[in-house]
Amino acid sequence: MKHLLLSAALAASLILPAYGAEPAPIPSPGEIAAAAPASNWVAIAPSDLLVMDLAPDAKGKPRRVVIQLMPAPFSQGWIGNIRKLAAAHWWDGTSVNRVQDNYVAQWGDATEKKALPAGLATVPENEYVVGRAGAAAWDAVRAMQNSAPIIPDPYASSQALWGWPVGRGKDGERWPVHCYGAVGVGRNMSPDTGSGAELYAVIGHAPRHLDRNIAVVGRVISGIEHLSSLPRGTGALGFYEDAAERVAITAIRLATELPAADQPRFEYLSTESDSFARYADARQNRRDPFFIKPAGGADICNIPVPVRLVAAK
Amino acid sequence: MKHLLLSAALAASLILPAYGAEPAPIPSPGEIAAAAPASNWVAIAPSDLLVMDLAPDAKGKPRRVVIQLMPAPFSQGWIGNIRKLAAAHWWDGTSVNRVQDNYVAQWGDATEKKALPAGLATVPENEYVVGRAGAAAWDAVRAMQNSAPIIPDPYASSQALWGWPVGRGKDGERWPVHCYGAVGVGRNMSPDTGSGAELYAVIGHAPRHLDRNIAVVGRVISGIEHLSSLPRGTGALGFYEDAAERVAITAIRLATELPAADQPRFEYLSTESDSFARYADARQNRRDPFFIKPAGGADICNIPVPVRLVAAK
């Protein structure tokens, strides 16, 4: 007896294709994505990748976390700041200071005294969403309007659009969604919106109540385990009580600043592709061999956009 | 600048009550639960608590995980087996063998050769749900029928009932839900339903596609961090590739088998209480000071039933 509890993505590897008289098993979501033609995959520009190197772990193993920044029209004020902070090497020598179970891992300057680079924008709260107020952004949102199936949602409703999970208000507003791995901007009480110097990644059930209340600027596409498996902080809000518990950040760089051979190369499955439509349907109605009762639906965070590492040429 | 990203449960501790002329801040969900009268809290019987002690961590700290078993009418066939396995001390010397990021931590006998105790039931698949087929259980479900608000849900719909998140089918069926911390029974391919010897806890976004496909038997109410912060396995499905990576289980006991002074005492907030109704409303519409835009809804797994440790007398 293997007593396996099969997972979504990995069940694929255990099922052999059937070429004989037997009916082929129904493919899992992971198999559908893996079989998608090259034309359905979209390269992620190195200029949209933030590479965070933590100090090696206790066994000396490197810990690299790769974050994909969101595209326009979302959160571009904060993302501009983040590009400046990375270019200034501002995070080098800072640390992961807070790990709260089923919530977030948060990093930045624990001393709260390190001077920020010049020229960071103060972004207004209305940029948490894209709506009718921003004309150019609104044009982009209107173009999205009918391009993807709408997922019912206790929060509002949502869609997978342009490679990202997107919330959808009744009045046409759109906003980025806090799914597992989402990266957001820590802030103080309103009207503060945060600069982008203090960031967190979601390491638990999607805290959707944060949507439209905090800026989402990207998502971890590789190495989330280096954040999600850190010891939980025992202080209020999961902050580490002892400075020695903090996890040092060696460097955070835009991938374009790394040597060409060291630049990570990733692709995502186009949310506008037929393959994605079939993948999303399969996530909502699992019919691959392990499952006996399809769910009949899925929340947007249970339809994660497939991302894959591209082998170097 | 504190750059705090406030959390649901802990924001409470940072807000001082206002007794003066200023309007009192609107309470957070955690504050509502903390203020609930003693009559709204329900003691959890020690006979429904499973206490798992992992080997101490690298610094010698104890690691105790406490699991609350589900009440009738749900999953009682497997829970009967689990009681027998605990009474036989069957898990002592077994280990956590699999930790898959954003999914599950799973434990049991890695050798797959340890003989099971006599008298374990083979539970049929139709016990994943409670429906019209089981007459006595169905009477209990009918009694639940109108006792709690229905939460809209992309899966079906759901309710918080009898202290637990419960899925709700169009035909009246009810089933336990895979939220963060849920404990389920590993199995092989259908028609196997698992014995209960191989268990897992959810350590990521609620994998609701597993509902009605695997037995949910309980939830971790204390010490989930000892599972969720373990290193992720690098083998298929997150299994540890090297036996030395496994985390030893010292003992798993029903709390009733522990010395009285060592029996953990917990209470949950009655889901049928007014306090819970206000807590659930506040989880769906955050109006406490950190929030600027209430979500207007929440999925059932974002309305976790409050559980508290009761200090020993």
Side-chain angles (χ1 to χ4, degrees), chain B residues 37-147:
Chain B
S39 60
N40 286 181
W41 291 89
V42 182
I44 302 174
S47 55
D48 288 334
L49 292 179
L50 202 60
V51 179
M52 171 161 69
D53 286 325
L54 304 177
D57 72 9
K59 293 176 181 168
K61 281 196 201 159
R63 292 187 278 191
R64 173 165 282 190
V65 179
V66 182
I67 295 163
Q68 179 188 7
L69 298 171
M70 296 204 79
F74 298 113
S75 304
Q76 295 299 298
W78 295 277
I79 290 171
N81 288 351
I82 289 167
R83 293 180 188 282
K84 286 177 184 160
L85 287 155
H89 299 185
W90 188 84
W91 283 289
D92 299 12
T94 65
S95 51
V96 181
N97 304 315
R98 173 192 184 192
V99 183
Q100 184 172 351
D101 196 69
N102 191 20
Y103 202 46
V104 297
Q106 187 168 332
W107 61 92
D109 170 37
T111 71
E112 302 179 17
K113 289 177 182 167
K114 188 169 180 173
L116 293 170
L120 297 191
T122 298
V123 190
E125 288 180 339
N126 62 18
E127 296 196 16
Y128 290 144
V129 302
V130 174
R132 296 176 197 278
W138 181 244
D139 285 346
V141 161
R142 280 177 60 195
M144 291 184 175
Q145 218 64 320
N146 297 308
S147 64

Side-chain angles (χ1 to χ4, degrees), chain A residues 166-209:
Chain A
V166 174
R168 182 176 173 279
K170 283 176 186 161
D171 52 358
E173 286 181 336
R174 295 291 186 282
W175 59 85
V177 166
H178 279 85
C179 292
Y180 188 90
V183 174
V185 174
R187 67 164 171 86
N188 288 314
M189 289 290 181
S190 170
D192 181 59
T193 63
S195 66
E198 187 84 9
L199 296 173
Y200 61 87
V202 172
I203 58 163
H205 188 74
R208 299 283 303 278
H209 49 288

Side-chain angles (χ1 to χ4, degrees), chain A residues 1 3-5 98 101 103 112 155 180 187-188 205-206 213-214 228-229 290 292-293 299 302, chain B residues 1 3-6 98 101 106 112 155 180 187-188 205-206 213-214 228-229 290 292-293 299 302:
Chain A
M1 281 205 293
H3 278 301
L4 292 181
L5 162 69
R98 173 193 185 191
D101 196 68
Y103 202 46
E112 302 180 17
Y155 297 91
Y180 188 90
R187 67 164 171 86
N188 288 314
H205 188 74
N213 285 282
I214 303 191
S228 58
S229 69
F290 186 75
I292 57 177
K293 181 87 83 174
D299 69 273
N302 260 330
Chain B
M1 281 204 294
H3 277 303
L4 292 181
L5 162 69
L6 297 180
R98 173 192 184 192
D101 196 69
Q106 187 168 332
E112 302 179 17
Y155 297 90
Y180 189 90
R187 67 164 171 88
N188 288 314
H205 188 74
N213 285 281
I214 303 192
S228 58
S229 69
F290 185 74
I292 55 176
K293 180 87 83 173
D299 69 274
N302 261 329

Side-chain angles (χ1 to χ4, degrees), chain B residues 235-255:
Chain B
L237 306 168
F239 278 91
Y240 289 130
E241 294 183 277
D242 181 346
E245 295 176 286
R246 296 176 190 149
V247 180
I249 295 172
T250 311
I252 296 183
R253 296 284 181 276
L254 277 176

